[in-house]
């Protein structure tokens, strides 16, 4: 499983596909994050619009990305959220933590 | 979906004129209704606005990303029958599409007789499902007990209790609540396996091993392979009495003493500890027994219009 990444200017983009609720998807996110981060991008945008389900495991992986960037004075952003993922982020107050890109 | 007495209605989104003609002729001969769509970007809206018994989706039809289109269709209606026509399907693509919930995937060049059999079978199943949906509204009692080992449960990515799908199809549970319940039950099962039977502390999720994976994932793999841990059992039971759904999950772990409530979850950067908030948001009551080794979820059901 691989998530597509893209560099546009100073931002790196990761498009998460499918559910973010297993170790496989978590590892794919970690690998995609590392590939963007290792290219020197400190503003990384997660596109979760294709994600149907996110659970505590997936949220933990998102927060690992957040912490790593924060420790390096970087920013983790998200594309506008929708559906179940949006509700989940709001429930857990993560919408206060991750700014929206676009 | 159309009602049982009306002829089946199919949405055909096919880029190939020859197969479109063959299928259109077939539908006409069968006395079925059908509509064609020339742009992938219009498929999801067409499905939302008019019920179709079946959607036939040719992924070479341009206009949108088909994976996104199909995800949207099935998110809005998990019971929607979808056949994907793919130019040449590799294993990865097949897994991707089937994980979204499509009913069948046929690669080109099309075996038209095979495709017709698949269409006929799906139409019949869709109509049978509609009759089952109507019947299930009168079910007053249902119970089930499942016993699995930690290792057996860990081999399954998602555990979805069939009763949730039946309650959704019977319109006793909204799509949103069905989804939340599925996630909540998965959280409870993960808790039972990982923290209960395998004894994995959440804090290990933030510790990286030299291989780059987190310690939690590495130790989980090791302990599942160890019969001392992997053979420990988990019991899943549910009961439905027409008014409420009660799900009970029990593991063979030691349980735990302190549980943070959903209201105390802070926006801090801790990478764990949010499962309980997700569970509590999905049900009306969460109770614990045996020091937390047994969790009981209760979801009240509205038997008239579906709740939102």
């Amino acid at each position: 499983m691989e998530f597509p990444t893209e560099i546009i200017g100073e931002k790196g983009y990761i498009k998460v596909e499918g559910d973010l609720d297993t170790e496989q998807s978590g590892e794919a996110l970690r690998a995609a994050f590392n590939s963007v981060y290792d290219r020197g991008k400190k503003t990384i945008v997660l596109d979760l619009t294709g994600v149907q389900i996110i659970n505590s495991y997936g949220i933990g992986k998102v927060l690992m990305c957040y912490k790593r960037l924060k420790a390096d004075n970087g920013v983790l952003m998200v594309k506008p959220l929708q559906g179940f993922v949006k509700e989940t982020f709001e429930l857990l107050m993560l919408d206060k933590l991750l700014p929206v890109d676009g | 979906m159309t009602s049982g007495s009306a002829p089946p209605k199919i949405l055909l989104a096919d880029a190939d004129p020859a197969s479109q003609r063959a299928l259109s002729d077939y539908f006409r001969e069968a006395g079925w209704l059908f509509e064609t769509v020339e742009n992938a970007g219009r498929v999801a809206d067409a499905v939302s606005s008019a019920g179709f018994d079946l959607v036939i989706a040719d992924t070479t039809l341009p206009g949108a990303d088909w994976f996104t289109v199909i995800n949207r269709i099935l998110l809005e209606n998990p019971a929607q029958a979808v056949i994907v026509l793919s130019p040449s399907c590799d294993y990865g693509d097949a897994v991707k599409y089937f994980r979204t919930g499509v009913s069948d995937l046929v690669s080109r060049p099309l075996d038209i007789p095979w495709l017709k059999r698949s269409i006929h079978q799906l139409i019949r199943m869709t109509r049978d499902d509609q009759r089952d949906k109507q019947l299930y509204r009168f079910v007053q009692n249902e119970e089930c007990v499942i016993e699995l080992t930690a290792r057996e449960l860990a081999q399954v990515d998602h555990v979805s209790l069939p009763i949730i799908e039946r309650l959704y199809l019977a319109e006793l549970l909204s799509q949103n609540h069905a989804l939340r319940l599925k996630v909540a039950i998965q959280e409870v099962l993960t808790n039972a396996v990982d923290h209960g039977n395998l004894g994995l502390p959440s804090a290990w999720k933030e510790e990286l091993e030299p291989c780059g994976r987190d310690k939690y994932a590495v130790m989980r793999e090791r302990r599942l392979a160890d019969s001392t841990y992997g053979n420990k059992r988990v019991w899943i039971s549910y009961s439905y009495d027409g008014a409420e759904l009660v799900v009970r999950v029990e593991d063979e772990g030691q349980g735990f003493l302190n549980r943070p409530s959903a209201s105390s979850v802070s926006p801090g950067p801790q990478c764990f500890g949010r499962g309980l908030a997700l569970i509590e948001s999905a049900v009306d009551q969460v109770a614990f027994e045996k020091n937390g080794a047994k969790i009981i979820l209760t979801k009240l059901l509205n038997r008239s219009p579906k709740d939102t």
Side-chain angles (χ1 to χ4, degrees):
Chain A
M1 180 184 284
E2 282 185 22
F3 297 149
T5 60
E6 191 178 7
I7 304 292
I8 301 176
E10 288 308 306
K11 291 182 184 175
Y13 292 83
I14 300 170
K15 181 159 176 60
V16 180
E17 294 173 339
D19 299 334
L20 199 53
D21 62 346
T22 62
E23 194 199 339
Q24 190 185 23
S25 54
E27 280 301 300
L29 175 58
R30 189 177 68 83
F33 175 87
N34 285 345
S35 82
V36 174
Y37 183 80
D38 291 345
R39 281 182 273 178
K41 298 304 162 188
K42 292 192 182 176
T43 300
I44 296 178
V45 182
L46 293 184
D47 182 353
L48 301 174
T49 53
V51 176
Q52 294 181 46
I53 293 174
I54 189 167
N55 65 1
S56 60
Y57 182 87
I59 289 162
K61 285 298 182 186
V62 170
L63 288 172
M64 287 285 282
C65 299
Y66 166 85
K67 286 178 74 171
R68 191 153 168 215
L69 275 171
K70 189 170 165 64
D72 202 12
N73 295 315
V75 178
L76 182 69
M77 305 178 76
V78 289
K79 281 285 188 192
L81 300 170
Q82 56 195 31
F84 180 82
V85 175
K86 182 172 189 278
E87 290 176 19
T88 302
F89 271 54
E90 287 170 353
L91 170 74
L92 301 175
M93 296 182 283
L94 300 180
D95 54 324
K96 309 276 188 288
L97 204 62
L98 305 175
V100 174
D101 177 69
Chain B
M1 283 177 212
T2 56
S3 72
S5 57
K9 193 171 164 193
I10 296 142
L11 182 67
L12 180 59
D14 189 351
D16 177 60
S19 58
Q20 191 184 109
R21 198 163 42 246
L23 289 172
S24 300
D25 289 344
Y26 171 61
F27 299 149
R28 277 194 210 94
E29 282 169 22
W32 294 351
L33 305 174
F34 67 96
E35 291 179 21
T36 56
V37 174
E38 309 298 329
N39 185 299
R42 290 205 290 273
V43 170
D45 285 339
V47 175
S48 292
S49 60
F52 290 95
D53 292 89
L54 174 64
V55 176
I56 298 176
D58 176 2
T59 58
T60 63
L61 191 69
D65 170 61
W66 269 106
F67 185 67
T68 303
V69 169
I70 290 170
N71 258 335
R72 180 185 151 191
I73 291 170
L74 291 170
L75 195 64
E76 289 177 5
N77 180 8
Q80 175 66 61
V82 177
I83 295 178
V84 167
L85 307 181
S86 181
S88 57
C89 209
D90 65 20
Y91 179 73
D93 273 352
V95 169
K96 196 168 80 166
Y97 278 112
F98 278 115
R99 280 201 77 193
T100 63
V102 302
S103 313
D104 202 355
L105 190 148
V106 183
S107 59
R108 292 191 188 273
L110 294 182
D111 179 340
I112 295 290
W114 174 275
L115 179 57
K116 286 179 181 175
R117 276 197 297 276
S118 181
I119 290 169
H120 205 90
Q121 193 170 32
L122 280 168
I123 294 291
R124 195 179 69 239
M125 282 168 60
T126 300
R127 294 302 168 101
D128 286 348
D129 275 350
Q130 285 187 296
R131 282 194 292 274
D132 287 348
K133 176 173 99 169
Q134 289 161 12
L135 277 174
Y136 200 74
R137 293 177 70 88
F138 299 97
V139 171
Q140 292 295 326
N141 282 289
E142 182 175 330
E143 288 186 25
C144 177
V145 180
I146 305 164
E147 179 183 303
L148 295 163
T149 65
R151 191 178 298 116
E152 286 167 341
L153 259 178
Q155 287 171 7
V156 181
D157 271 348
H158 301 95
V159 174
S160 181
L161 299 181
I163 187 168
I164 296 177
E165 190 64 23
R166 286 198 288 275
L167 288 170
Y168 165 67
L169 288 174
E171 299 182 351
L172 296 170
L173 205 60
S174 70
Q175 184 183 60
N176 184 280
H177 276 110
L179 188 58
R180 291 205 163 281
L181 259 179
K182 286 178 191 175
V183 171
I185 289 168
Q186 193 61 49
E187 292 282 345
V188 171
L189 290 173
T190 299
N191 184 68
V193 171
D194 289 9
H195 303 310
N197 285 356
L198 302 184
L200 301 171
S202 293
W204 284 356
K205 291 178 182 176
E206 295 197 10
E207 295 181 31
L208 289 183
E209 296 284 278
C211 63
R213 295 170 71 201
D214 57 76
K215 185 175 178 181
Y216 189 97
V218 171
M219 291 305 296
R220 185 175 189 269
E221 210 168 86
R222 281 187 200 159
R223 289 188 180 180
L224 280 171
D226 181 343
S227 57
T228 308
Y229 293 99
N231 287 350
K232 286 187 178 177
R233 292 165 296 174
V234 175
W235 292 273
I236 309 159
S237 67
Y238 70 78
S239 61
Y240 167 64
D241 67 357
E244 62 183 29
L245 172 67
V246 181
V247 179
R248 301 170 183 82
V249 177
E250 183 176 348
D251 59 69
E252 291 195 277
Q254 301 301 309
F256 51 90
L257 290 174
N258 299 312
R259 276 189 178 272
S261 65
S263 60
S264 71
V265 168
S266 70
Q270 224 175 31
C271 297
F272 50 88
R274 289 168 178 80
L276 182 60
L278 292 177
I279 294 166
E280 289 181 341
S281 74
V283 297
D284 295 283
Q285 186 181 56
V286 181
F288 305 100
E289 293 178 1
K290 300 186 178 181
N291 203 32
K294 183 173 181 178
I295 300 177
I296 303 156
L297 311 180
T298 303
K299 174 68 185 165
L300 301 176
L301 296 165
N302 185 347
R303 284 197 68 93
S304 43
K306 59 181 175 179
D307 54 65
T308 55

